[in-house]
Amino acid sequence: PPFAHKVGGLKKHTMVAHYFANQFSKIFEINNLERDYVLSAIDLHDTCKRGIKHYNMRYFPIHHMLPRLRYDKYERKHLIKSENRDDFNTIMGLIENHMGSIKEGHVIKEKRKITDDMTLLQKIVYLSDYTSSRTRLDFEFLEGEF
């Protein structure tokens, strides 16, 4: 959308997606822990959209797989405690499916459709990202909040 084509556009897209994820979590009555998973996934879902070290849009088709690689290093450095590994895997799984239901490790050139095999949390992440990227949305009224 137009608001995402200006300075800070990816941040603005993520903030709008966060808003929708929070709203969808409310209407589907997602519990607090699952809501935290959804919101964390949304906040991180595009952090590697242009790669990890060498920023380039050629990484877009695999950007849904890169956050696990990027953030997994924190566990290796013992900054993520092993008892939190399940939480980490849940969040990374939601990120990996934000482009649509996929089998692990596949390249995706564009967003795929929602499928029946997706969990409700995966669908919320997907819908939040999808809704916040619609070209006809106008969030200029939120400009001061970004």
Side-chain angles (χ1 to χ4, degrees):
F3 70 84
H5 290 259
K6 298 175 183 174
V7 174
L10 186 58
K11 176 183 174 187
K12 292 174 182 179
H13 158 72
T14 301
M15 293 175 78
V16 172
H18 185 102
Y19 168 80
F20 282 117
N22 192 42
Q23 296 303 310
F24 290 141
S25 293
K26 287 178 183 177
I27 63 171
F28 286 109
E29 299 180 342
I30 301 302
N31 70 45
N32 287 338
L33 179 60
E34 289 179 330
R35 181 180 155 274
D36 287 348
Y37 290 152
V38 165
L39 296 177
S40 295
I42 280 294
D43 291 347
L44 298 171
H45 81 283
D46 279 343
T47 56
C48 299
K49 191 169 200 146
R50 295 185 178 189
I52 296 174
K53 292 183 181 180
H54 306 287
Y55 299 108
N56 188 307
M57 277 307 286
R58 69 186 172 113
Y59 292 102
F60 178 80
I62 61 169
H63 83 279
H64 59 285
M65 298 184 295
L66 296 178
R68 184 182 295 274
L69 298 173
R70 180 178 190 180
Y71 300 115
D72 199 43
K73 69 182 177 186
Y74 297 111
E75 184 188 32
R76 290 192 306 272
K77 292 179 181 179
H78 304 290
L79 298 173
I80 297 175
K81 296 177 182 176
S82 58
E83 62 263 20
N84 296 338
R85 186 65 181 179
D86 289 343
D87 297 330
F88 176 81
N89 284 328
T90 298
I91 293 165
M92 292 302 118
L94 292 172
I95 293 169
E96 289 161 354
N97 281 281
H98 86 270
M99 296 296 288
S101 186
I102 62 162
K103 294 187 179 183
E104 187 175 327
H106 283 73
V107 172
I108 297 178
K109 298 207 185 259
E110 58 189 47
K111 191 172 278 291
R112 295 181 179 176
K113 294 180 180 179
I114 288 180
T115 60
D116 290 339
D117 66 330
M118 292 173 74
T119 68
L120 178 57
L121 300 185
Q122 289 170 336
K123 289 175 182 178
I124 290 172
V125 170
Y126 176 104
L127 286 170
S128 301
D129 179 44
Y130 180 84
T131 304
S132 66
S133 66
R134 299 304 82 206
T135 57
R136 295 187 69 184
L137 282 182
D138 183 6
F139 278 87
E140 293 300 322
F141 66 93
L142 295 174
E143 193 68 32
E145 297 179 32
F146 293 112

